[in-house]
């Protein structure tokens, strides 16, 4: 009986916390991975969080996991990748509501006049007016062969489909969507130099130049420094080139973690203690290397609540979607009651 009561207490009354994962605060033409939240919805979500009054800095939450002092129902806000809108749009809103947040930065994209590769590929495949009729390309020894036929020319119907297609939850809405998904899957597995070479081949096939839409790039180094200066905000690591770590050798993983960490530490003149695995991809080597590199904790994209005693190098996070304040509030309740778990992509 005593043992049973202990189990009940542990299962139902142990303190639990949640970490929220955002990427971009913007309204892009399409959002196949559900990673953009509109500024209006983001503000409504912050209003809900403010009302709930339980947002804590991620460091405090992580310490709680370590020290068994987790504040029950506490929530931490995080952003992945380093999109420029984190600085221009999210920062002022977080300041307005006085809410802390941690920004995980892929340093290879910082201050670069280039888009995150998945965004450029999405724009290129789904929205280029005229593409060739078919593509044959070998990536990573896998042959990708897709005929676009009548979809080579973008029409209004196709454009509309692409604007709303979600790669996670729906089957490809068109041949172009299928092509995007196949290319994304193959490119994601590559080291960056090979990935960029293939991306260039795909641009040449499409007959388009490299796209650099100002809203889709990373923030500048100075913006990151300004962000970090604010007491509400903290910076975390997200590798240099954003590889799917589990698909790479241990030495490659180590290099990605160490170079990212040392660059951020030098640029910001502070110790970087927290890491988020790109695409939520990690294995035993990633965890070991995160520890070796001196990270205190690392975060995945597995949608689960966090409890004391969770492994500090595989802490879960929930991906926040483009929900209104009311929808977001409902979602938080669902997550809290563990009725919903989700995986995220980017
Ligand atoms: Zn990322």
């Amino acid at each position: 009986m005593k043992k049973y009561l202990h189990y009940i207490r542990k299962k139902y009354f142990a303190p639990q916390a949640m970490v929220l994962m955002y990427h971009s605060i913007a309204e892009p033409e399409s959002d196949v991975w559900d990673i953009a939240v509109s500024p209006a919805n983001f503000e409504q979500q912050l209003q809900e969080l403010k009302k709930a009054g339980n947002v804590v800095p991620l460091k405090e939450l992580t310490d709680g996991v370590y020290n068994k002092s987790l504040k029950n129902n506490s929530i931490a806000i995080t952003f992945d990748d380093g999109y420029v809108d984190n600085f221009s749009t999210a920062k002022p809103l977080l300041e307005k509501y006085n809410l802390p947040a941690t920004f995980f930065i892929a340093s290879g994209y910082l201050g670069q006049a280039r888009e995150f590769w998945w965004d450029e590929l999405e724009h290129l495949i789904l929205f280029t007016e005229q593409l060739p009729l078919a593509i044959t390309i070998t990536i990573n020894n896998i042959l990708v062969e897709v005929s676009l036929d009548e979809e080579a020319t973008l029409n209004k119907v196709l454009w509309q489909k692409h604007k709303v297609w979600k790669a996670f939850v729906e089957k490809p809405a068109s041949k172009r969507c299928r092509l995007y998904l196949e290319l994304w899957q193959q490119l994601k597995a590559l080291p960056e130099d090979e990935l960029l070479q293939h991306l260039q081949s795909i641009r040449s096939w499409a007959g388009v130049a490299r796209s650099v839409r100002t809203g889709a790039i990373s923030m500048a180094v100075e913006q990151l420094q300004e962000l970090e200066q604010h007491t509400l905000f903290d910076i975390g690591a997200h590798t240099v080139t954003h590889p799917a770590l589990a698909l790479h050798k241990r030495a490659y993983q180590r290099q990605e973690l160490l170079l990212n960490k040392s660059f951020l530490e030098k640029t910001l003149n502070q110790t970087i203690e927290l890491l988020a695995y790109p695409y939520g991809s990690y294995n035993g080597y990633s965890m070991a290397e995160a520890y070796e590199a001196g990270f205190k904790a690392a975060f995945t994209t597995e949608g689960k609540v966090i409890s004391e005693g969770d492994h500090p190098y595989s802490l879960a996070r929930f991906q926040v979607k483009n929900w209104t304040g009311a929808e977001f509030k409902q979602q938080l309740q669902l997550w809290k009651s563990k009725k919903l778990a989700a995986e995220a992509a980017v």
Side-chain angles (χ1 to χ4, degrees), residues 36-171:
V37 174
S38 74
N41 278 346
F42 182 63
E43 179 156 18
Q44 287 185 21
Q45 294 177 2
L46 293 186
Q47 286 166 349
E48 290 300 330
L49 289 170
K50 194 73 197 170
K51 262 192 266 170
N54 49 0
V55 176
V56 298
L58 186 64
K59 270 188 178 165
E60 188 183 316
L61 190 149
T62 309
D63 286 345
V65 175
Y66 259 96
N67 308 332
K68 302 241 156 90
S69 58
L70 198 61
K71 244 187 236 163
N72 194 28
N73 289 329
S74 54
I75 294 179
I77 301 171
T78 70
F79 289 80
D80 279 13
D81 302 335
Y83 281 92
V84 68
D85 59 57
N86 292 184
F87 179 82
S88 57
T89 311
K91 176 179 176 276
L93 287 169
L94 289 160
E95 282 170 342
K96 181 174 168 186
Y97 294 96
N98 199 36
L99 291 169
T102 295
F103 298 84
F104 292 107
I105 306 295
S107 50
Y109 282 89
L110 262 188
Q112 303 265 314
R114 62 172 175 142
E115 298 182 13
F116 292 102
W117 73 266
W118 53 87
D119 287 334
E120 185 181 352
L121 186 72
E122 180 177 331
H123 179 61
L124 190 159
I125 301 294
L126 301 187
F127 294 99
T128 300
E129 292 283 337
Q130 186 66 50
L131 289 173
L133 287 168
I135 185 169
T136 306
I137 184 170
T138 303
I139 305 174
N140 219 6
N141 295 319
I142 303 282
L143 179 70
V144 176
E145 207 169 16
V146 175
S147 289
L148 295 176
D149 305 319
E150 74 286 356
E151 289 188 14
T153 308
L154 187 73
N155 60 32
K156 196 95 200 263
V157 176
L158 207 52
W159 179 80
Q160 197 54 44
K161 274 185 190 171
H162 293 170
K163 266 185 86 68
V164 296
W165 177 56
K166 300 295 174 204
F168 258 129
V169 286
E170 299 163 34
K171 289 205 170 103

Side-chain angles (χ1 to χ4, degrees), residues 23 80-81 106 118 238 242 277-279 346:
H23 292 82
D80 279 13
D81 302 335
W118 53 87
H238 198 45
H242 204 278
Y277 301 119
Y279 314 101
V346 177

Side-chain angles (χ1 to χ4, degrees), residues 216-232:
I217 59 172
S218 168
M219 62 181 99
V221 173
E222 297 73 24
Q223 291 172 324
L224 181 71
Q225 286 167 329
E226 198 181 322
L227 193 62
E228 190 273 328
Q229 293 280 305
H230 202 294
T231 48
L232 277 178

